[in-house]
mmCIF file of all heavy atoms in Angstrom:
data_model
loop_
_atom_site.group_PDB
_atom_site.id
_atom_site.type_symbol
_atom_site.label_atom_id
_atom_site.label_comp_id
_atom_site.label_asym_id
_atom_site.label_seq_id
_atom_site.Cartn_x
_atom_site.Cartn_y
_atom_site.Cartn_z
ATOM 1 N N ARG W 237 0.760 -1.209 -0.037
ATOM 2 C CA ARG W 237 0.026 0.004 -0.055
ATOM 3 C C ARG W 237 0.791 1.259 -0.055
ATOM 4 O O ARG W 237 0.521 2.232 -0.698
ATOM 5 C CB ARG W 237 -0.940 0.033 1.206
ATOM 6 C CG ARG W 237 -2.044 -0.963 1.061
ATOM 7 C CD ARG W 237 -2.953 -0.731 2.208
ATOM 8 N NE ARG W 237 -3.928 -1.871 2.269
ATOM 9 C CZ ARG W 237 -5.098 -1.831 2.748
ATOM 10 N NH1 ARG W 237 -5.501 -0.754 3.282
ATOM 11 N NH2 ARG W 237 -5.835 -2.873 2.695
ATOM 12 N N ARG W 238 1.878 1.263 0.779
ATOM 13 C CA ARG W 238 2.729 2.453 0.868
ATOM 14 C C ARG W 238 3.354 2.756 -0.514
ATOM 15 O O ARG W 238 3.348 3.923 -0.952
ATOM 16 C CB ARG W 238 3.869 2.263 1.915
ATOM 17 C CG ARG W 238 4.830 3.412 1.937
ATOM 18 C CD ARG W 238 5.937 3.157 2.976
ATOM 19 N NE ARG W 238 5.350 3.664 4.306
ATOM 20 C CZ ARG W 238 6.085 3.404 5.365
ATOM 21 N NH1 ARG W 238 7.193 2.744 5.403
ATOM 22 N NH2 ARG W 238 5.599 3.813 6.500
ATOM 23 N N ARG W 239 3.826 1.746 -1.146
ATOM 24 C CA ARG W 239 4.405 1.953 -2.550
ATOM 25 C C ARG W 239 3.328 2.414 -3.523
ATOM 26 O O ARG W 239 3.584 3.243 -4.313
ATOM 27 C CB ARG W 239 5.095 0.639 -2.949
ATOM 28 C CG ARG W 239 5.834 0.887 -4.270
ATOM 29 C CD ARG W 239 6.700 -0.267 -4.549
ATOM 30 N NE ARG W 239 7.945 0.189 -5.201
ATOM 31 C CZ ARG W 239 8.603 -0.647 -5.791
ATOM 32 N NH1 ARG W 239 8.474 -1.929 -5.736
ATOM 33 N NH2 ARG W 239 9.688 -0.187 -6.476
ATOM 34 N N LEU W 240 2.119 1.846 -3.426
ATOM 35 C CA LEU W 240 1.129 2.195 -4.300
ATOM 36 C C LEU W 240 0.673 3.651 -4.095
ATOM 37 O O LEU W 240 0.430 4.406 -5.050
ATOM 38 C CB LEU W 240 -0.146 1.290 -4.038
ATOM 39 C CG LEU W 240 -1.293 1.320 -5.004
ATOM 40 C CD1 LEU W 240 -0.822 1.077 -6.445
ATOM 41 C CD2 LEU W 240 -2.388 0.370 -4.642
ATOM 42 N N ALA W 241 0.616 4.080 -2.795
ATOM 43 C CA ALA W 241 0.271 5.482 -2.636
ATOM 44 C C ALA W 241 1.366 6.398 -3.134
ATOM 45 O O ALA W 241 1.065 7.485 -3.737
ATOM 46 C CB ALA W 241 0.191 5.758 -1.114
ATOM 47 N N HIS W 242 2.574 6.038 -3.074
ATOM 48 C CA HIS W 242 3.656 6.840 -3.572
ATOM 49 C C HIS W 242 3.583 6.916 -5.110
ATOM 50 O O HIS W 242 3.824 7.966 -5.715
ATOM 51 C CB HIS W 242 4.981 6.162 -3.209
ATOM 52 C CG HIS W 242 6.246 6.923 -3.717
ATOM 53 N ND1 HIS W 242 6.619 8.147 -3.209
ATOM 54 C CD2 HIS W 242 7.057 6.618 -4.726
ATOM 55 C CE1 HIS W 242 7.633 8.583 -3.893
ATOM 56 N NE2 HIS W 242 8.005 7.713 -4.798
ATOM 57 N N MET W 243 3.240 5.869 -5.769
ATOM 58 C CA MET W 243 3.115 5.773 -7.278
ATOM 59 C C MET W 243 1.939 6.614 -7.675
ATOM 60 O O MET W 243 2.083 7.330 -8.715
ATOM 61 C CB MET W 243 2.824 4.295 -7.725
ATOM 62 C CG MET W 243 4.180 3.476 -7.601
ATOM 63 S SD MET W 243 3.837 1.763 -7.941
ATOM 64 C CE MET W 243 3.145 1.783 -9.572
ATOM 65 N N ARG W 244 0.825 6.738 -6.962
ATOM 66 C CA ARG W 244 -0.336 7.503 -7.276
ATOM 67 C C ARG W 244 0.036 8.988 -7.223
ATOM 68 O O ARG W 244 -0.562 9.755 -8.000
ATOM 69 C CB ARG W 244 -1.466 7.264 -6.348
ATOM 70 C CG ARG W 244 -2.126 5.930 -6.625
ATOM 71 C CD ARG W 244 -3.387 5.785 -5.740
ATOM 72 N NE ARG W 244 -3.926 4.486 -5.964
ATOM 73 C CZ ARG W 244 -4.622 3.740 -5.079
ATOM 74 N NH1 ARG W 244 -4.657 4.186 -3.814
ATOM 75 N NH2 ARG W 244 -5.120 2.569 -5.351
ATOM 76 N N LYS W 245 0.967 9.429 -6.427
ATOM 77 C CA LYS W 245 1.354 10.790 -6.344
ATOM 78 C C LYS W 245 2.048 11.234 -7.645
ATOM 79 O O LYS W 245 1.933 12.403 -8.073
ATOM 80 C CB LYS W 245 2.281 11.098 -5.191
ATOM 81 C CG LYS W 245 1.589 10.988 -3.826
ATOM 82 C CD LYS W 245 2.658 11.293 -2.726
ATOM 83 C CE LYS W 245 2.029 11.090 -1.387
ATOM 84 N NZ LYS W 245 2.979 11.200 -0.298
ATOM 85 N N TRP W 246 2.692 10.361 -8.290
ATOM 86 C CA TRP W 246 3.420 10.700 -9.541
ATOM 87 C C TRP W 246 2.612 10.664 -10.790
ATOM 88 O O TRP W 246 2.963 11.237 -11.795
ATOM 89 C CB TRP W 246 4.615 9.723 -9.705
ATOM 90 C CG TRP W 246 5.685 10.149 -8.812
ATOM 91 C CD1 TRP W 246 6.013 9.494 -7.601
ATOM 92 C CD2 TRP W 246 6.649 11.163 -8.958
ATOM 93 N NE1 TRP W 246 7.087 10.191 -6.956
ATOM 94 C CE2 TRP W 246 7.525 11.167 -7.788
ATOM 95 C CE3 TRP W 246 6.838 12.112 -9.941
ATOM 96 C CZ2 TRP W 246 8.509 12.081 -7.668
ATOM 97 C CZ3 TRP W 246 7.899 13.066 -9.866
ATOM 98 C CH2 TRP W 246 8.723 13.033 -8.716
ATOM 99 N N ILE W 247 1.435 10.081 -10.752
ATOM 100 C CA ILE W 247 0.614 9.966 -11.964
ATOM 101 C C ILE W 247 0.216 11.209 -12.531
ATOM 102 O O ILE W 247 0.389 11.576 -13.784
ATOM 103 C CB ILE W 247 -0.680 9.065 -11.704
ATOM 104 C CG1 ILE W 247 -0.215 7.594 -11.587
ATOM 105 C CG2 ILE W 247 -1.703 9.179 -12.764
ATOM 106 C CD1 ILE W 247 -1.345 6.651 -11.094
ATOM 107 N N PRO W 248 -0.301 12.330 -11.722
ATOM 108 C CA PRO W 248 -0.617 13.599 -12.300
ATOM 109 C C PRO W 248 0.641 14.252 -12.912
ATOM 110 O O PRO W 248 0.555 14.936 -13.922
ATOM 111 C CB PRO W 248 -1.105 14.421 -11.138
ATOM 112 C CG PRO W 248 -1.554 13.385 -10.137
ATOM 113 C CD PRO W 248 -0.680 12.190 -10.304
ATOM 114 N N VAL W 249 1.812 14.137 -12.309
ATOM 115 C CA VAL W 249 3.055 14.833 -12.821
ATOM 116 C C VAL W 249 3.424 14.172 -14.161
ATOM 117 O O VAL W 249 3.771 14.872 -15.052
ATOM 118 C CB VAL W 249 4.159 14.622 -11.739
ATOM 119 C CG1 VAL W 249 5.504 15.082 -12.374
ATOM 120 C CG2 VAL W 249 3.833 15.389 -10.438
ATOM 121 N N LEU W 250 3.331 12.875 -14.149
ATOM 122 C CA LEU W 250 3.654 12.143 -15.484
ATOM 123 C C LEU W 250 2.681 12.547 -16.601
ATOM 124 O O LEU W 250 3.075 12.793 -17.711
ATOM 125 C CB LEU W 250 3.649 10.649 -15.232
ATOM 126 C CG LEU W 250 4.858 10.149 -14.393
ATOM 127 C CD1 LEU W 250 4.702 8.708 -14.118
ATOM 128 C CD2 LEU W 250 6.160 10.450 -15.062
ATOM 129 N N LEU W 251 1.388 12.609 -16.285
ATOM 130 C CA LEU W 251 0.404 13.060 -17.260
ATOM 131 C C LEU W 251 0.630 14.415 -17.758
ATOM 132 O O LEU W 251 0.520 14.690 -18.923
ATOM 133 C CB LEU W 251 -1.053 12.896 -16.657
ATOM 134 C CG LEU W 251 -1.595 11.560 -16.490
ATOM 135 C CD1 LEU W 251 -2.963 11.529 -15.828
ATOM 136 C CD2 LEU W 251 -1.704 10.838 -17.882
ATOM 137 N N LEU W 252 0.990 15.348 -16.845
ATOM 138 C CA LEU W 252 1.226 16.709 -17.208
ATOM 139 C C LEU W 252 2.402 16.754 -18.109
ATOM 140 O O LEU W 252 2.401 17.473 -19.158
ATOM 141 C CB LEU W 252 1.462 17.605 -16.025
ATOM 142 C CG LEU W 252 1.811 19.055 -16.308
ATOM 143 C CD1 LEU W 252 0.525 19.723 -16.946
ATOM 144 C CD2 LEU W 252 2.045 19.786 -14.921
ATOM 145 N N PHE W 253 3.472 16.013 -17.796
ATOM 146 C CA PHE W 253 4.693 15.998 -18.667
ATOM 147 C C PHE W 253 4.366 15.453 -20.019
ATOM 148 O O PHE W 253 4.815 16.038 -21.013
ATOM 149 C CB PHE W 253 5.773 15.219 -17.971
ATOM 150 C CG PHE W 253 6.988 14.949 -18.812
ATOM 151 C CD1 PHE W 253 7.900 16.018 -18.961
ATOM 152 C CD2 PHE W 253 7.208 13.810 -19.463
ATOM 153 C CE1 PHE W 253 9.068 15.816 -19.786
ATOM 154 C CE2 PHE W 253 8.297 13.615 -20.279
ATOM 155 C CZ PHE W 253 9.254 14.619 -20.401
ATOM 156 N N PHE W 254 3.584 14.453 -20.036
ATOM 157 C CA PHE W 254 3.173 13.782 -21.311
ATOM 158 C C PHE W 254 2.395 14.836 -22.214
ATOM 159 O O PHE W 254 2.689 14.974 -23.434
ATOM 160 C CB PHE W 254 2.354 12.549 -21.060
ATOM 161 C CG PHE W 254 1.891 11.824 -22.275
ATOM 162 C CD1 PHE W 254 2.777 11.128 -23.065
ATOM 163 C CD2 PHE W 254 0.545 11.942 -22.617
ATOM 164 C CE1 PHE W 254 2.356 10.446 -24.257
ATOM 165 C CE2 PHE W 254 0.084 11.210 -23.767
ATOM 166 C CZ PHE W 254 1.002 10.579 -24.570
ATOM 167 N N LEU W 255 1.440 15.526 -21.641
ATOM 168 C CA LEU W 255 0.659 16.493 -22.316
ATOM 169 C C LEU W 255 1.473 17.709 -22.851
ATOM 170 O O LEU W 255 1.378 18.172 -23.983
ATOM 171 C CB LEU W 255 -0.494 17.017 -21.479
ATOM 172 C CG LEU W 255 -1.675 16.014 -21.312
ATOM 173 C CD1 LEU W 255 -2.630 16.587 -20.290
ATOM 174 C CD2 LEU W 255 -2.313 15.618 -22.613
ATOM 175 N N MET W 256 2.432 18.117 -21.997
ATOM 176 C CA MET W 256 3.312 19.244 -22.457
ATOM 177 C C MET W 256 4.155 18.817 -23.622
ATOM 178 O O MET W 256 4.517 19.724 -24.387
ATOM 179 C CB MET W 256 4.167 19.737 -21.229
ATOM 180 C CG MET W 256 3.306 20.418 -20.210
ATOM 181 S SD MET W 256 4.263 20.976 -18.770
ATOM 182 C CE MET W 256 5.384 22.005 -19.419
ATOM 183 N N THR W 257 4.640 17.597 -23.653
ATOM 184 C CA THR W 257 5.472 17.224 -24.856
ATOM 185 C C THR W 257 4.642 17.029 -26.103
ATOM 186 O O THR W 257 5.125 17.221 -27.204
ATOM 187 C CB THR W 257 6.292 15.944 -24.496
ATOM 188 O OG1 THR W 257 5.261 14.879 -24.171
ATOM 189 C CG2 THR W 257 7.242 16.111 -23.424
ATOM 190 N N LEU W 258 3.323 16.763 -25.889
ATOM 191 C CA LEU W 258 2.496 16.545 -27.064
ATOM 192 C C LEU W 258 1.914 17.897 -27.680
ATOM 193 O O LEU W 258 1.668 17.926 -28.872
ATOM 194 C CB LEU W 258 1.343 15.668 -26.737
ATOM 195 C CG LEU W 258 1.603 14.137 -26.702
ATOM 196 C CD1 LEU W 258 0.347 13.448 -26.311
ATOM 197 C CD2 LEU W 258 2.113 13.640 -27.988
ATOM 198 N N LEU W 259 1.745 18.919 -26.899
ATOM 199 C CA LEU W 259 1.057 20.051 -27.349
ATOM 200 C C LEU W 259 1.743 20.755 -28.492
ATOM 201 O O LEU W 259 1.064 21.123 -29.474
ATOM 202 C CB LEU W 259 0.863 21.143 -26.186
ATOM 203 C CG LEU W 259 -0.238 20.747 -25.211
ATOM 204 C CD1 LEU W 259 -0.274 21.773 -24.010
ATOM 205 C CD2 LEU W 259 -1.542 20.557 -25.833
ATOM 206 N N PRO W 260 3.026 21.006 -28.488
ATOM 207 C CA PRO W 260 3.720 21.637 -29.718
ATOM 208 C C PRO W 260 3.477 20.730 -30.949
ATOM 209 O O PRO W 260 3.235 21.232 -32.023
ATOM 210 C CB PRO W 260 5.148 21.722 -29.416
ATOM 211 C CG PRO W 260 5.173 21.674 -27.848
ATOM 212 C CD PRO W 260 3.998 20.793 -27.402
ATOM 213 N N ALA W 261 3.580 19.475 -30.861
ATOM 214 C CA ALA W 261 3.372 18.541 -31.927
ATOM 215 C C ALA W 261 1.928 18.719 -32.486
ATOM 216 O O ALA W 261 1.652 18.617 -33.619
ATOM 217 C CB ALA W 261 3.794 17.105 -31.629
ATOM 218 N N MET W 262 0.966 18.760 -31.491
ATOM 219 C CA MET W 262 -0.425 18.806 -31.910
ATOM 220 C C MET W 262 -0.714 20.099 -32.636
ATOM 221 O O MET W 262 -1.397 20.083 -33.581
ATOM 222 C CB MET W 262 -1.308 18.691 -30.645
ATOM 223 C CG MET W 262 -1.319 17.284 -30.038
ATOM 224 S SD MET W 262 -2.174 17.145 -28.418
ATOM 225 C CE MET W 262 -3.780 17.796 -28.820
ATOM 226 N N ALA W 263 -0.169 21.216 -32.162
ATOM 227 C CA ALA W 263 -0.326 22.517 -32.812
ATOM 228 C C ALA W 263 0.201 22.439 -34.224
ATOM 229 O O ALA W 263 -0.434 23.033 -35.165
ATOM 230 C CB ALA W 263 0.392 23.615 -32.056
ATOM 231 N N GLN W 264 1.307 21.785 -34.393
ATOM 232 C CA GLN W 264 1.840 21.759 -35.820
ATOM 233 C C GLN W 264 0.982 20.808 -36.751
ATOM 234 O O GLN W 264 0.941 21.035 -37.841
ATOM 235 C CB GLN W 264 3.322 21.261 -35.779
ATOM 236 C CG GLN W 264 4.307 22.274 -35.295
ATOM 237 C CD GLN W 264 5.682 21.914 -35.476
ATOM 238 O OE1 GLN W 264 6.022 20.943 -36.185
ATOM 239 N NE2 GLN W 264 6.628 22.739 -35.042
ATOM 240 N N GLN W 265 0.355 19.864 -36.155
ATOM 241 C CA GLN W 265 -0.487 18.935 -36.956
ATOM 242 C C GLN W 265 -1.713 19.601 -37.397
ATOM 243 O O GLN W 265 -2.431 19.105 -38.227
ATOM 244 C CB GLN W 265 -0.818 17.708 -36.110
ATOM 245 C CG GLN W 265 0.411 16.793 -35.917
ATOM 246 C CD GLN W 265 0.070 15.606 -35.016
ATOM 247 O OE1 GLN W 265 -1.026 15.455 -34.463
ATOM 248 N NE2 GLN W 265 1.004 14.735 -35.025
ATOM 249 N N GLU W 266 -2.016 20.858 -36.842
ATOM 250 C CA GLU W 266 -3.227 21.608 -37.314
ATOM 251 C C GLU W 266 -2.982 22.110 -38.702
ATOM 252 O O GLU W 266 -3.904 22.538 -39.400
ATOM 253 C CB GLU W 266 -3.509 22.662 -36.405
ATOM 254 C CG GLU W 266 -3.925 22.234 -35.052
ATOM 255 C CD GLU W 266 -4.124 23.421 -34.032
ATOM 256 O OE1 GLU W 266 -3.665 24.571 -34.330
ATOM 257 O OE2 GLU W 266 -4.820 23.160 -33.037
ATOM 258 N N TYR W 267 -1.690 22.150 -39.160
ATOM 259 C CA TYR W 267 -1.362 22.744 -40.502
ATOM 260 C C TYR W 267 -0.699 21.759 -41.357
ATOM 261 O O TYR W 267 0.057 20.842 -40.888
ATOM 262 C CB TYR W 267 -0.330 23.951 -40.259
ATOM 263 C CG TYR W 267 -0.965 25.040 -39.447
ATOM 264 C CD1 TYR W 267 -0.732 25.160 -38.078
ATOM 265 C CD2 TYR W 267 -1.675 26.061 -40.098
ATOM 266 C CE1 TYR W 267 -1.307 26.155 -37.364
ATOM 267 C CE2 TYR W 267 -2.197 27.148 -39.346
ATOM 268 C CZ TYR W 267 -2.050 27.166 -37.965
ATOM 269 O OH TYR W 267 -2.481 28.249 -37.218
ATOM 270 N N THR W 268 -0.822 21.902 -42.679
ATOM 271 C CA THR W 268 -0.053 21.174 -43.624
ATOM 272 C C THR W 268 0.731 22.254 -44.372
ATOM 273 O O THR W 268 0.295 23.291 -44.561
ATOM 274 C CB THR W 268 -0.834 20.309 -44.629
ATOM 275 O OG1 THR W 268 -1.793 21.131 -45.253
ATOM 276 C CG2 THR W 268 -1.578 19.184 -43.851
ATOM 277 N N ILE W 269 1.989 21.918 -44.670
ATOM 278 C CA ILE W 269 2.895 22.924 -45.299
ATOM 279 C C ILE W 269 3.515 22.278 -46.586
ATOM 280 O O ILE W 269 3.860 21.152 -46.654
ATOM 281 C CB ILE W 269 3.951 23.346 -44.351
ATOM 282 C CG1 ILE W 269 4.758 24.565 -44.891
ATOM 283 C CG2 ILE W 269 4.888 22.214 -43.915
ATOM 284 C CD1 ILE W 269 5.495 25.336 -43.814
ATOM 285 N N ASP W 270 3.688 23.198 -47.630
ATOM 286 C CA ASP W 270 4.476 22.763 -48.795
ATOM 287 C C ASP W 270 5.933 22.962 -48.381
ATOM 288 O O ASP W 270 6.402 24.023 -48.251
ATOM 289 C CB ASP W 270 4.104 23.678 -50.011
ATOM 290 C CG ASP W 270 4.831 23.318 -51.261
ATOM 291 O OD1 ASP W 270 5.948 22.700 -51.150
ATOM 292 O OD2 ASP W 270 4.304 23.615 -52.326
ATOM 293 N N PRO W 271 6.651 21.825 -48.294
ATOM 294 C CA PRO W 271 8.089 21.912 -47.840
ATOM 295 C C PRO W 271 8.982 22.689 -48.873
ATOM 296 O O PRO W 271 10.049 23.191 -48.511
ATOM 297 C CB PRO W 271 8.511 20.516 -47.673
ATOM 298 C CG PRO W 271 7.566 19.656 -48.431
ATOM 299 C CD PRO W 271 6.322 20.448 -48.522
ATOM 300 N N GLN W 272 8.604 22.813 -50.107
ATOM 301 C CA GLN W 272 9.404 23.401 -51.086
ATOM 302 C C GLN W 272 9.269 24.984 -51.041
ATOM 303 O O GLN W 272 10.207 25.678 -51.185
ATOM 304 C CB GLN W 272 8.951 22.983 -52.560
ATOM 305 C CG GLN W 272 8.964 21.535 -52.764
ATOM 306 C CD GLN W 272 10.366 20.866 -52.590
ATOM 307 O OE1 GLN W 272 11.412 21.444 -53.011
ATOM 308 N NE2 GLN W 272 10.523 19.811 -51.891
ATOM 309 N N THR W 273 8.053 25.420 -50.682
ATOM 310 C CA THR W 273 7.831 26.874 -50.647
ATOM 311 C C THR W 273 7.624 27.500 -49.322
ATOM 312 O O THR W 273 7.694 28.700 -49.131
ATOM 313 C CB THR W 273 6.628 27.213 -51.520
ATOM 314 O OG1 THR W 273 5.475 26.604 -50.959
ATOM 315 C CG2 THR W 273 6.797 26.771 -52.977
ATOM 316 N N GLY W 274 7.376 26.665 -48.366
ATOM 317 C CA GLY W 274 7.110 27.130 -46.932
ATOM 318 C C GLY W 274 5.737 27.718 -46.872
ATOM 319 O O GLY W 274 5.459 28.594 -45.997
ATOM 320 N N THR W 275 4.773 27.376 -47.751
ATOM 321 C CA THR W 275 3.402 27.858 -47.804
ATOM 322 C C THR W 275 2.488 26.898 -46.952
ATOM 323 O O THR W 275 2.476 25.699 -47.237
ATOM 324 C CB THR W 275 2.951 27.909 -49.230
ATOM 325 O OG1 THR W 275 3.784 28.764 -49.987
ATOM 326 C CG2 THR W 275 1.514 28.500 -49.331
#
């Protein structure tokens, strides 16, 4: 139980880290670009 309680404390931190790493990639996926012209 003690170890399980300790692990539960880290779940929100890990989720936040995961979301922060995905947000820039998600924002870029909103656009498609022509790599030749930068349009």
Side-chain angles (χ1 to χ4, degrees):
R237 287 185 193 209
R238 178 181 272 172
R239 188 168 209 196
L240 189 59
H242 180 72
M243 289 171 56
R244 284 187 183 144
K245 290 179 184 178
W246 283 100
I247 290 173
V249 173
L250 292 173
L251 285 174
L252 181 62
F253 176 76
F254 179 71
L255 288 174
M256 288 177 62
T257 57
L258 282 180
L259 286 178
M262 288 171 57
Q264 286 193 6
Q265 289 177 351
E266 294 177 344
Y267 298 93
T268 57
I269 192 165
D270 179 336
Q272 304 300 317
T273 63
T275 302

